[in-house]
Amino acid sequence: MTDRGGPAVTARGGPAAEYDVAVVGGGLIGAAAALGAARLGRRVVLLEPFQPELQRGGLGVDVRNVAVSPASQALLERLDVWSRMDGAAYRRMEVWEERGTRAMIFDAAEVNRTELGWIVENSVATVALWEALRRHEGVTIHPARVVGVVPRETGVNLELEEGAVRARLLLAADGARSPLRAALGVAVETFDTGHAALATVVRTRQPHDGVAYQRFLLEGPVALLPTREPRLSSVVWSQPPEQAARRRDLPEAEFCAELARCLQHRLGTVEAVDERLVFPLQQLLASTFTPHPRVLLVGDAARVLHPLAGLGANMGFEDVRALLAVLHALPAGADPGTPGLWRAYDRRRRARARLMLGVMSGLRRVYARGDPASQLLRNAGVALLGRLVPVKRQVMMEAMGLGAVAEGTAR
């Protein structure tokens, strides 16, 4: 809701603390946005009730991880946090299907690079960002939960469980179930995938050698992604919920054998598996990314994608890059909530999100069809893409966040 009244007051009647930018949500995207805004000279408050901690599974790495594209890595490098994230580079990706006769090979050398991207442990990356935030004199970390939001013409008032803050710009980075998005009355379009994701870490007999594997099974894609340990790989397996539950509860030896078969023993036998996490997969898109001239939705609060191509965190980092570019272009001290300032951000980011939602949904449908005609068309398409080298290179550049569409320069 909105209000044209005066400044917010705390529960004790005094004035609220005032900032240039308030960020609600201290995950990867919120923390990166807060740090980036502070490095541009803005006074920033990060509102997050939970402090991140390093997580280590039974095999020694965090079961939760994110794929980081070269474009996102460049952002994290500029924020001076990348060196502490200990990412595992992958230089090659092999993609094939259950009933296919051809595989797609994406090699970094094809685009004159040494890596296609990195797999980063979620908790390691988040802790690195928070350490940088704590060191920055322009950042205040407030361990509080927001219970009310009132955008006004001159600022946004945020009511906390104790006290209040006021900011000229609010970034809602509070996740897929964003309470702020709901409080602001933003409608959400959902796209039910009918799938759940099973995530874990496995130890294989053969080292991964910096290669990522993804196989499209008829029931859903399974990916094997390299970690910083040579024989440990992360697994992300999209599948019907009942299958995910069954595989979560299998004895370790049976799960390892089934996963190895599904991946056609690309890395030999699977020798051990860590904790298996299962969570539902639902894509969503907010009706607007700027519900008020002084409010932006970023990260999963704005859109959620299927993990098929590892784009979730990277789309959020794209949001951060785009909003920091706008802030950077403003004159020193200029109001970041000027009416109309964020219209282009909203239009471009929503268009990019809708495009990728369509691509993810289309790929999943195409690879779920098991009839001979569909199989023939897929194999012909894979063969054609392999021959059309310039097209393949452009596909790779877009996936890395370095193409014209990803960078917002396409016309």
Side-chain angles (χ1 to χ4, degrees), residues 30-373:
L35 182 59
R39 288 171 65 90
L40 290 175
R42 299 288 177 170
R43 292 172 296 112
V44 177
V45 61
L46 176 64
L47 299 162
E48 170 56 64
F50 303 107
Q51 178 175 309
E53 297 179 350
L54 290 177
Q55 303 293 322
R56 291 284 186 260
L59 295 180
V61 299
D62 193 348
V63 172
R64 296 181 181 274
N65 63 75
V66 295
V68 174
S69 70
S72 297
Q73 184 270 345
L75 168 68
L76 296 168
E77 188 82 63
R78 289 197 300 274
L79 296 179
D80 198 24
V81 293
W82 176 248
S83 62
R84 295 187 292 278
M85 290 190 176
D86 201 19
Y90 60 97
R91 58 179 177 78
R92 180 181 172 95
M93 174 173 278
E94 297 185 12
V95 182
W96 76 108
E97 64 165 300
E98 185 173 347
R99 296 185 179 179
T101 59
R102 296 178 181 271
M104 286 186 285
I105 307 297
F106 300 100
D107 196 297
E110 295 180 76
V111 287
N112 301 314
R113 294 188 59 92
T114 56
E115 69 288 302
L116 295 172
W118 295 261
I119 304 300
V120 177
E121 295 173 56
N122 192 297
S123 66
V124 173
T126 307
V127 166
L129 281 162
W130 272 61
E131 288 175 347
L133 286 167
R134 290 192 185 97
R135 291 193 301 269
H136 201 291
E137 61 182 11
V139 177
T140 298
I141 297 177
H142 204 323
R145 193 185 306 274
V146 177
V147 297
V149 55
V150 182
R152 299 180 176 180
E153 287 186 354
T154 58
V156 182
N157 295 336
L158 293 165
E159 182 185 351
L160 311 179
E161 290 174 318
E162 292 186 10
V165 299
R166 178 180 174 86
R168 296 202 289 173
L169 180 68
L170 168 63
L171 306 181
D174 51 343
R177 298 180 181 178
S178 174
L180 277 182
R181 186 184 64 214
L184 291 164
V186 179
V188 174
E189 188 177 0
T190 59
F191 309 83
D192 192 0
T193 67
H195 273 195
L198 185 153
T200 189
V201 172
V202 296
R203 185 173 66 241
T204 58
R205 182 170 185 177
Q206 298 172 15
H208 53 66
D209 196 26
V211 178
Y213 299 93
Q214 185 168 52
R215 190 182 187 202
F216 283 88
L217 306 172
L218 292 180
E219 65 175 16
V222 55
L224 197 63
L225 309 170
T227 76
R228 54 188 169 80
E229 299 296 332
R231 293 174 56 222
L232 294 184
S233 294
S234 291
V235 176
V236 182
W237 196 341
S238 175
Q239 56 198 294
E242 61 275 12
Q243 283 284 50
R246 179 186 69 81
R247 288 175 173 132
R248 177 194 60 204
D249 298 334
L250 281 176
E252 180 173 352
E254 291 183 31
F255 176 85
C256 291
E258 188 166 333
L259 176 64
R261 286 196 303 272
C262 287
L263 288 165
Q264 295 187 311
H265 298 86
R266 277 298 198 268
L267 295 179
T269 57
V270 177
E271 298 179 341
V273 61
D274 209 323
E275 175 188 11
R276 284 161 267 175
L277 305 178
V278 171
F279 49 91
L281 291 177
Q282 187 178 59
Q283 299 191 127
L284 66 82
L285 178 65
S287 60
T288 176
F289 289 10
T290 55
H292 185 274
R294 296 186 179 277
V295 180
L296 304 183
L297 305 184
V298 297
D300 285 354
R303 110 287 287 140
V304 176
L305 297 177
H306 192 288
L308 173 61
L311 288 173
N314 291 306
M315 290 289 283
F317 286 130
E318 284 183 21
D319 292 345
V320 175
R321 285 161 48 204
L323 72 88
L324 292 181
V326 175
L327 290 178
H328 180 70
L330 288 176
D335 186 354
T338 303
L341 180 64
W342 299 101
R343 284 177 188 156
Y345 171 91
D346 179 73
R347 183 177 66 254
R348 291 170 181 167
R349 298 309 301 147
R350 286 195 78 251
R352 167 80 164 146
R354 188 167 286 283
L355 171 65
M356 298 316 300
L357 283 164
V359 169
M360 294 300 100
S361 297
L363 277 174
R364 196 179 67 81
R365 286 195 300 269
V366 165
Y367 277 97
R369 300 187 60 164
D371 58 280

